[in-house]
Amino acid sequence: MFVKFMETYGQNLLYFFGTFGLINFLFSFITVLLTAKYYGWTLFIQSPLLGLVLFFIFMGCQSIFLGFITEIFVKIYYETQNKPVYLIEESINQNENSFNP
């Protein structure tokens, strides 16, 4: 499972954390709509569901910012190690002199 995660999101961790953040924003929006529909706005402010909505919003923001930070760390890692991000294992049907910029 870890190997599949690293293959899919190893270079683009923002996709993983951003998706998680957007799901949290979606949960907060759904919670607001359902609470307002069934209980009304005045009860929503007095209920602990407001805390749940704020929790989902903060978790969404934190996970998106965590995705940005991990993207920066991955780029810094590859630049300081002088490693290419992608390695070409084999070139097919390409001559040495075929590159014309």
Side-chain angles (χ1 to χ4, degrees):
M1 190 158 109
F2 178 74
V3 174
K4 179 64 177 164
F5 173 79
M6 290 308 289
E7 283 180 1
T8 307
Y9 298 109
Q11 301 296 322
N12 299 320
L13 291 170
L14 184 59
Y15 292 160
F16 176 73
F17 289 112
T19 304
F20 183 70
L22 291 177
I23 289 171
N24 279 321
F25 284 132
L26 182 68
F27 282 159
S28 68
F29 185 70
I30 289 172
T31 305
V32 167
L33 289 180
L34 289 177
T35 306
K37 179 180 179 183
Y38 291 116
Y39 298 110
W41 288 105
T42 57
L43 185 63
F44 173 72
I45 293 174
Q46 297 171 352
S47 72
L49 290 175
L50 180 63
L52 183 66
V53 168
L54 292 176
F55 173 74
F56 281 137
I57 290 173
F58 289 142
M59 286 298 295
C61 290
Q62 284 181 347
S63 63
I64 289 173
F65 287 133
L66 185 64
F68 285 135
I69 290 171
T70 55
E71 283 286 324
I72 292 170
F73 283 162
V74 166
K75 290 185 189 304
I76 289 173
Y77 170 75
Y78 282 113
E79 287 179 7
T80 58
Q81 300 289 325
N82 292 326
K83 292 181 179 180
V85 177
Y86 302 103
L87 296 175
I88 300 173
E89 187 173 316
E90 181 181 358
S91 295
I92 300 174
N93 294 331
Q94 187 173 11
N95 299 331
E96 290 181 23
N97 298 328
S98 65
F99 180 71
N100 293 324

